[in-house]
Amino acid sequence: MAVRVLLAESHRMIRDAFRSLLESGGEFEVVGNAQDGREAVRLWRQLKPDVGLLAIHLNHQTGIAATVEILKESPSERIVLLASAANDALLVPAARSGATGLIAAQATADELLTAMRAVAAGGFYL
C-alpha cells in the first residue's frame, strides 16, 4: 500500500511537480493538495495522511505554524518542512516546530524522495 501524502505549497505548478515526482514510483499517493497553511490543517484533520510535505512559506499560516497546530492535536504525525533556502532564517523555528524532516528547496529529487521515505518509515531527515 502506498504512503498517503498531504502536500502544502502556495504555487499550483510546484504542487503538481511534487505530486508527479512522489507518485511516479508508486510508493506514495498524494491524497491532499493545500495552497495555504489553514487549508493544510483542515485537510490534515479530514484526510489523516501518513506524512505531510509542507512548504515553510505558505499564505495565511506558515508551514511552521500549521505543523505546530497539527502536532499539538496529534504529536505522532510525520511532517517534512520544505525551506525555500538552506540559509532561511526560519530554519531554527522549523526545527523547533516538531517536524520530523526538514529539506531545502535546492535539494535534488532523489534527496526529497529519501527524506519522504525516511520520515514515512518513522525516522528523521535533516
Side-chain angles (χ1 to χ4, degrees):
M1 181 185 287
V3 174
R4 300 175 69 232
V5 177
L6 173 72
L7 290 176
E9 165 52 53
S10 297
H11 305 286
R12 182 171 180 84
M13 184 170 45
I14 295 172
R15 285 195 316 271
D16 289 347
F18 280 134
R19 171 181 238 135
S20 293
L21 171 66
L22 290 169
E23 291 184 339
S24 66
E27 64 188 299
F28 297 101
E29 174 192 6
V30 175
V31 296
N33 227 326
Q35 65 182 356
D36 63 53
R38 289 183 199 150
E39 185 179 23
V41 172
R42 182 184 59 76
L43 286 174
W44 194 283
R45 290 174 180 144
Q46 176 186 345
L47 301 171
K48 307 282 191 228
D50 300 313
V51 66
L53 176 61
L54 281 65
I56 288 178
H57 296 288
L58 292 172
N59 296 325
H60 304 296
Q61 183 180 34
T62 67
I64 294 170
T67 297
V68 169
E69 188 171 340
I70 290 164
L71 295 177
K72 184 189 292 185
E73 293 177 20
S74 185
S76 63
E77 301 297 345
R78 315 295 297 168
I79 299 173
V80 175
L81 287 172
L82 179 68
S84 59
N87 63 354
D88 194 326
L90 294 175
L91 289 180
V92 171
R96 290 183 179 156
S97 73
T100 46
L102 181 60
I103 191 163
Q106 296 86 350
T108 66
D110 285 339
E111 288 171 319
L112 176 62
L113 290 171
T114 297
M116 295 298 288
R117 288 181 190 118
V119 168
F124 294 88
Y125 188 91
L126 294 176

